[in-house]
Amino acid sequence: MTWSVKPVDGGTEVSLICENVPAGIRAEDHAEGLSSTLDNLAAFVCKSAL
């Protein structure tokens, strides 16, 4: 995975490029995992900002 972050008005844009995902991982499972990771990142960043 390659992550990039960029400041934008009102927040931060987070972009991910996922390459070489193992064949046994379904796209739906991969998307769910990424969504969970981003939710955890947002919670951490918001908590750290307090």
Side-chain angles (χ1 to χ4, degrees):
M1 281 196 224
T2 302
W3 293 65
S4 63
V5 293
K6 175 175 82 171
V8 295
D9 289 339
T12 303
E13 178 181 288
V14 178
S15 298
L16 295 157
I17 298 174
C18 301
E19 299 176 303
N20 302 315
V21 177
I25 297 178
R26 296 180 317 138
E28 296 85 359
D29 295 333
H30 190 70
E32 184 177 333
L34 285 175
S35 179
S36 175
T37 297
L38 290 173
D39 288 344
N40 289 335
L41 174 63
F44 175 79
V45 169
C46 290
K47 185 177 180 179
S48 297
L50 296 177

